[in-house]
Amino acid sequence: MKCCILIPAYNAEKTLNAVVVECHSLGIPLIVVDDGSTDNTVTNLPGLETTVLRHKTNLGKGSALKTGFEWAMKQGFDGVITIDADGQHDASAVPLLIRAAEKSGFDLMIASRFTQFEEMSGLRKFWNRFGVWCMRKRTGFDITDSQSGFRFYSVRLLQEVKLSC
């Protein structure tokens, strides 16, 4: 399965470089969408092969993902792995997520930060748990971390769903 890693980024100059270096070590094509950052988010990226797409102004994470998804579909990828620019996800797990997607045939997979929930602050932890409960009630799936930005999307799904933001 031909996949790429997509990192939506906004004012992430303090964390993005480390995430890019970690992702680049996997040998998987890497795309960063700079969502109108006002800091040096992409100007100080290490000299590693990375496709950088830019929004002139901040349009929001949804728009940054949409831009990256459209690029990935035009490039002929089968799947897109999204990972946040803040370094909270373990990029070394990307190959595991790709293998799980290949094996299962699922069009959307959400990597869980279940083991990190105890480290979350009060309100963030509460709202994360509440979101998980709502998703479980609505879908019937045992989703342990519906808010995680570490996900696999099949291009088949991205082609079928019309994203508005």
Side-chain angles (χ1 to χ4, degrees):
M1 179 181 299
K2 183 179 169 188
C3 292
C4 64
I5 299 171
L6 167 59
I7 305 172
Y10 176 69
N11 289 347
E13 71 178 336
K14 293 179 181 171
T15 56
L16 183 61
N17 283 359
V19 175
V20 167
V21 168
E22 187 178 10
C23 289
H24 191 270
S25 71
L26 302 171
I28 298 170
L30 181 60
I31 301 92
V32 173
V33 178
D34 177 11
D35 188 33
S37 296
T38 57
D39 65 1
N40 293 316
T41 293
V42 294
T43 56
N44 294 326
L45 283 179
L48 302 172
E49 188 174 333
T50 304
T51 299
V52 177
L53 308 174
R54 291 183 132 166
H55 292 166
K56 291 182 181 184
T57 60
N58 179 245
L59 302 174
K61 184 176 182 180
S63 290
L65 289 170
K66 184 178 175 186
T67 296
F69 292 152
E70 288 170 354
W71 182 90
M73 287 188 286
K74 287 177 185 172
Q75 302 304 311
F77 288 100
D78 301 311
V80 179
I81 302 289
T82 60
I83 194 164
D84 291 341
D86 61 6
Q88 69 176 300
H89 305 299
D90 181 3
S92 69
V94 166
L96 297 172
L97 190 55
I98 293 171
R99 281 196 298 275
E102 288 174 330
K103 183 177 178 182
S104 70
F106 291 142
D107 290 312
L108 173 63
M109 298 184 72
I110 306 170
S112 179
R113 300 165 294 177
F114 185 75
T115 59
Q116 298 172 315
F117 288 147
E118 293 308 314
E119 299 169 19
M120 290 181 181
S121 61
L123 276 179
R124 183 175 182 206
K125 181 178 177 180
F126 170 79
W127 286 115
N128 189 291
R129 300 290 76 217
F130 180 70
V132 164
W133 179 82
C134 290
M135 289 296 289
R136 191 173 295 139
K137 292 297 267 182
R138 179 77 173 132
T139 67
F141 289 107
D142 187 22
I143 299 170
T144 60
D145 188 6
S146 62
Q147 307 305 303
S148 174
F150 190 10
R151 299 175 181 203
F152 166 83
Y153 296 87
S154 75
V155 166
R156 179 178 54 237
L157 172 68
L158 296 174
Q159 290 170 336
E160 291 178 12
V161 175
K162 174 124 174 83
L163 299 175
S164 59
C165 63

